[in-house]
């Protein structure tokens, strides 16, 4: 807008200057013509011709200046039109930029909200991780206790197995001793039965032969003592 006003102002100033110069020239001519010390007619004609030539030259210059000024004005108008088009394009770009800026602001608000949500989730995950860490620590302590109990149970099982093996060995030894005792008992019962038979026979012989020789009852007496000993043992 400033570029378009400057050529118009310059043109107006030049036109005003040329008009003033023309008026001043005419005033000078009139003053010279009415001056008391009148000059000769030829001299006045010469001066008037000179003034006319100068006026014609001024008109030519003014015409050239006017054409130049009009060309400048046209160029200024073209420049103004181009500037208007450029301003229109810049306004369109500015509108697009403002729209993009609004979208960016909205996206920024959304992203800030997402960041806040993510921060809250991170805090929840941290709390969950801390709780899980504490729970894992408790589980590890419980596992250690269970491992200790398992170790103790294993040792107790080994001890019980050892005691079971020892008990089985003792039971087998007791069974062997029982069998030996039963065999000894059967043998002693057989011997006791024999002793009873011998004792009965000795009693019968003693009853039947009280009148016999005294040395005949000695073996029977020894056998009777043996049987008595066997009874005491059983």
């Amino acid at each position: 807008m400033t570029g378009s006003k400057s050529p118009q102002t310059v043109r107006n100033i030049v036109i005003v200057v040329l008009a003033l110069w023309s008026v001043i020239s005419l005033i000078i001519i009139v003053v010279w013509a009415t001056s008391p010390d009148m000059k000769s007619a030829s001299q006045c004609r010469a001066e008037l011709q000179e003034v006319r030539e100068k006026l014609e030259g001024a008109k030519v210059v003014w015409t050239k200046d006017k054409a130049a000024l009009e060309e400048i004005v046209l160029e200024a108008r073209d420049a103004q039109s181009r500037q208007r088009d450029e301003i229109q394009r810049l306004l369109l770009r500015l509108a697009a930029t403002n729209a993009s800026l609004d979208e960016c602001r909205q996206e920024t608000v959304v992203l800030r909200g997402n960041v806040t949500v993510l921060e809250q989730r991170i805090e929840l995950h941290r709390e969950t991780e801390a709780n899980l860490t504490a729970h894992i620590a408790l589980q590890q302590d419980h596992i250690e206790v269970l491992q200790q109990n398992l170790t103790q149970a294993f040792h107790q099982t080994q001890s019980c197995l050892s005691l079971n093996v020892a008990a089985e060995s003792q039971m087998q030894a007791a069974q062997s001793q029982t069998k030996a005792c039963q065999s000894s008992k059967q043998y002693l019962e057989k011997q006791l039965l024999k002793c009873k038979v011998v004792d009965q026979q000795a009693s019968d012989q003693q009853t039947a032969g009280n009148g016999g020789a005294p040395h005949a009852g000695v073996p029977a007496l020894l056998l009777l003592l043996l049987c008595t000993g066997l009874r005491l043992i059983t």
Side-chain angles (χ1 to χ4, degrees), residues 9 14 18 29 36 52 58 68 79 83 89 98 120 131 137 145 148 159 169 175 190 227 233:
T9 304
V14 171
L18 292 174
I29 292 170
R52 286 177 179 175
Q83 287 179 355
R89 287 192 296 270
N98 290 331
Q120 293 176 355
N131 294 330
V145 172
Q148 182 66 27
S159 177
S169 299
Q175 288 177 354
K190 289 180 180 180
C227 292
I233 292 172

Side-chain angles (χ1 to χ4, degrees), residues 7-19:
Q8 185 72 22
T9 304
V10 172
R11 186 182 67 177
N12 294 330
I13 291 172
V14 171
I15 292 171
V16 171
V17 170
L18 292 174

Side-chain angles (χ1 to χ4, degrees), residues 19-50:
L20 289 175
W21 185 79
S22 299
V23 172
I24 292 170
S25 298
L26 291 174
I27 291 172
I28 291 172
I29 292 170
V30 172
V31 171
W32 281 354
T34 58
S35 158
D37 49 348
M38 295 297 294
K39 297 181 181 179
S40 62
S42 60
Q43 186 178 359
C44 287
R45 290 192 187 95
E47 290 178 357
L48 181 60
Q49 185 64 30
E50 184 180 358

Side-chain angles (χ1 to χ4, degrees), residues 124-137:
L124 291 175
H125 286 309
R126 286 178 180 174
E127 293 178 356
T128 304
E129 183 179 0
N131 294 330
L132 290 175
T133 302
H135 185 68
I136 289 171

Side-chain angles (χ1 to χ4, degrees), residues 81-127:
S81 179
R82 289 193 298 269
Q83 287 179 355
R84 286 178 181 174
D85 294 337
E86 186 66 23
I87 290 171
Q88 189 66 27
R89 287 192 296 270
L90 290 175
L91 289 174
L92 292 175
R93 290 181 182 178
L94 182 61
T97 303
N98 290 331
S100 299
L101 183 60
D102 291 336
E103 291 179 358
C104 290
R105 287 176 180 174
Q106 293 176 0
E107 290 180 357
T108 302
V109 172
V110 174
L111 290 174
R112 286 179 180 175
N114 293 334
V115 168
T116 303
V117 173
L118 289 175
E119 288 178 351
Q120 293 176 355
R121 289 182 180 177
I122 290 171
E123 187 64 26
L124 291 175
H125 286 309
R126 286 178 180 174
E127 293 178 356

